[in-house]
Amino acid sequence: MDQHIAALRATAEAVREWDERRAASEATNVAYANGLLGVARDEEAGRLAIVNYRPRGDRETRLKLAYMAAYLIATRGTLQPSQMNAVLEDTRDRPSTSVS
């Protein structure tokens, strides 16, 4: 998760730099689009690493779910059905250990 947060910050910085290059006419529209595509692919790879991560315990499962929820709320994003299933499988695989 820390790596993904760092990647998100790097993504924001890269987008800002590409915007500045484009505004200063230092980058063509094609170079700008390719640059943003590369940035988006890097972010997606980090997000998918978290989606596909198999937590090693209840604590990691809760952290993964909380992180994904916060990420989706902050970005107003969604997951594909297969990604949602991957996230939810982790909670189904573990018996509940909560104390009432």
Side-chain angles (χ1 to χ4, degrees):
M1 287 184 258
D2 291 337
Q3 291 173 343
H4 187 240
I5 292 168
L8 290 172
R9 288 185 178 136
T11 297
E13 179 64 20
V15 168
R16 186 190 60 74
E17 288 175 10
W18 275 107
D19 285 343
E20 287 176 358
R21 287 181 191 170
R22 185 173 182 211
S25 300
E26 295 174 4
T28 65
N29 288 340
V30 173
Y32 176 77
N34 286 335
L36 292 183
L37 182 59
V39 168
R41 285 182 180 154
D42 291 345
E43 189 283 325
E44 180 183 28
R47 182 177 39 79
L48 290 176
I50 294 170
V51 166
N52 295 321
Y53 177 75
R54 302 288 295 176
R56 292 176 283 184
D58 290 335
R59 182 178 182 278
E60 284 189 4
T61 299
R62 288 190 302 276
L63 284 172
K64 177 181 175 178
L65 289 172
Y67 181 83
M68 289 305 303
Y71 170 79
L72 293 172
I73 291 167
T75 63
R76 296 182 182 179
T78 60
L79 295 176
Q80 296 173 0
S82 61
Q83 295 170 344
M84 182 62 81
N85 286 336
V87 170
L88 294 177
E89 275 180 11
D90 297 329
T91 60
R92 290 185 208 123
D93 291 345
R94 302 187 183 289
S96 176
T97 58
S98 62
V99 177
S100 302

